[in-house]
Amino acid sequence: MFLLLKNKIILISMLFLTVMAIPLSTQSLYSFPEITANLKKIDLKQVACMAKNIFYEAGGETMLGQAAVARVVMNRVNHGFAETPCKVIYQKTVINENVICQFSWVCEDKGELNKASATYKQAEMIAFQTMMGMYKDVVPKTTLFFHSINIDPALPYKQVAKIGNHIFYSKQKAKNEQKSQ
């Protein structure tokens, strides 16, 4: 599939911003041929879905918190929840005639977001960087769930991180669950 010139310019600009965001002392740690090879694999529709999800789920969080939310989506893709980030994000389940969204904002009929805002632009950069392979260690590869610290869904899973206002979980059973079985 051929990329339009406009899309190529956007991808190159995002790559430039990504490289510029890395402190000079750590730039040598990144394999630039690997990053440029990944450019061919990046689908801008997927970046847009990820950015929107980051914006609504973690727009007020630090870059690390936003990256953790993005990493959960990528982990779900890698664990077979769906084939793409967009499909993971918009995935719904029906239980007893109730529709449950994987990400609450999807069911909340959110209005159109301001794509020119600094918050969205940062979410877009984090989405792009995550899809390029950055932030792999922000949460473990087994991290598949998270929620705000303001709710207590009593998940039976193992807590693996607390970043900002979110708690992250792997699907491994929590210790008290394992003992009761």
Side-chain angles (χ1 to χ4, degrees):
M1 179 166 77
F2 294 101
L3 290 174
L4 298 172
L5 179 60
K6 179 181 173 186
N7 290 346
K8 285 182 182 177
I9 292 169
I10 291 170
L11 286 173
I12 290 169
S13 298
M14 289 180 125
L15 176 62
F16 175 76
L17 290 172
T18 298
V19 171
M20 294 309 294
I22 301 169
L24 283 176
S25 60
T26 60
Q27 283 184 9
S28 62
L29 298 176
Y30 292 93
S31 169
F32 291 119
E34 179 185 318
I35 289 174
T36 55
N38 284 341
L39 272 178
K40 296 175 188 169
K41 300 175 188 174
I42 302 297
D43 178 347
L44 293 180
K45 179 183 175 194
Q46 301 305 315
V47 172
C49 284
M50 287 277 281
K52 193 171 186 177
N53 193 53
I54 293 166
F55 179 87
Y56 284 128
E57 290 290 335
E61 297 292 325
T62 64
M63 289 177 71
L64 189 65
Q66 291 181 3
V69 166
R71 183 52 48 199
V72 166
V73 173
M74 295 307 293
N75 288 349
R76 287 181 177 192
V77 170
N78 294 333
H79 281 83
F81 279 54
E83 303 89 33
T84 67
C86 289
K87 287 181 180 180
V88 164
I89 292 164
Y90 289 97
Q91 197 170 41
K92 296 178 182 179
T93 306
V94 178
I95 300 176
N96 298 327
E97 299 181 23
N98 294 320
V99 177
I100 299 170
C101 295
Q102 295 295 309
F103 297 94
S104 58
W105 68 267
V106 173
C107 285
E108 292 174 355
D109 193 28
K110 296 281 186 178
E112 192 56 39
L113 51 84
N114 179 0
K115 292 183 178 179
S117 73
T119 303
Y120 180 81
K121 291 296 182 191
Q122 178 170 307
E124 190 174 48
M125 184 178 72
I126 298 291
F128 181 78
Q129 290 171 336
T130 302
M131 293 183 72
M132 290 290 293
M134 295 175 70
Y135 302 112
K136 286 186 177 181
D137 296 328
V138 70
V139 291
K141 292 176 184 174
T142 57
T143 306
L144 301 173
F145 309 99
F146 69 91
H147 65 78
S148 165
I149 61 171
N150 298 321
I151 63 169
D152 184 12
L155 293 176
Y157 308 126
K158 180 182 176 189
Q159 181 177 332
V160 294
K162 180 186 175 295
I163 302 172
N165 292 313
H166 290 97
I167 300 173
F168 296 84
Y169 299 86
S170 71
K171 200 165 184 172
Q172 180 182 14
K173 295 282 186 185
K175 287 183 181 180
N176 60 354
E177 278 287 313
Q178 290 173 343
K179 289 179 184 175
S180 65
Q181 293 181 353

